[in-house]
């Protein structure tokens, strides 16, 4: 059974930093699985924030977070991280971690199977 679990969301002031963590279990091999972070606000579609290839050599970022966020992974811990710096109020959202993420050029896509999603962690940035 696949389990994906996020942590690290919080309330932070604009300009501050947060580090989100995600652990995944039950995958055939975490080290052969692309991972990603997505976010969603009420009334809007879920959008890709950043994704990372299975060995970590390829990373993609949305234009809105490029230069401020950094994705990384530790395959020995079955974990992926999202370091978020210079946070803005528009970064406020529920952040979801996902496994088995298709990568395509400069973007990544949400996995269709619900089992690859975590439940989310809330990030709120106050102005």
């Amino acid at each position: 059974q696949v389990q994906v679990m996020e942590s690290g969301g919080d309330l932070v002031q604009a300009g501050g930093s947060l580090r989100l963590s995600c652990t995944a279990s039950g995958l055939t091999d975490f080290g052969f699985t692309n991972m990603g972070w997505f976010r969603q606000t009420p009334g809007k579609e879920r959008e890709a924030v950043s994704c990372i290839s299975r060995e970590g050599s390829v990373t993609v970022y949305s234009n809105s977070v490029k230069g401020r966020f950094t994705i990384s992974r530790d395959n020995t811990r079955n974990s992926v991280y999202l370091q978020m710096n210079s946070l803005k109020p528009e970064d406020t959202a529920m952040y979801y971690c996902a496994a088995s993420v298709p990568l395509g050029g400069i973007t990544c896509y949400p996995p269709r199977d619900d089992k690859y999603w975590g439940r989310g962690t809330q990030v709120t940035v106050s102005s």
Side-chain angles (χ1 to χ4, degrees), residues 45-125:
E45 290 189 1
R46 196 172 295 187
E47 64 170 346
V49 176
S50 180
C51 299
I52 187 167
S53 63
R54 57 190 186 181
E55 72 280 3
S57 61
V58 177
T59 57
V60 297
Y61 297 91
S62 70
N63 288 334
S64 61
V65 307
K66 199 172 295 183
R68 301 187 296 122
F69 291 10
T70 303
I71 192 170
S72 62
R73 66 188 294 160
D74 183 346
N75 287 349
T76 66
R77 297 178 182 269
N78 284 12
S79 295
V80 63
Y81 309 98
L82 186 68
Q83 178 65 42
M84 306 187 295
N85 298 329
S86 302
L87 283 162
K88 304 176 181 179
E90 51 263 43
D91 295 317
T92 295
M94 185 70 78
Y95 284 71
Y96 297 90
C97 180
S100 192
V101 173
L103 293 179
I106 60 173
T107 189
C108 51
Y109 303 94
R112 294 185 177 182
D113 196 327
D114 288 343
K115 72 180 181 182
Y116 292 122
W117 290 94
R119 294 186 176 184
T121 186
Q122 177 69 38
V123 172
T124 303
V125 184

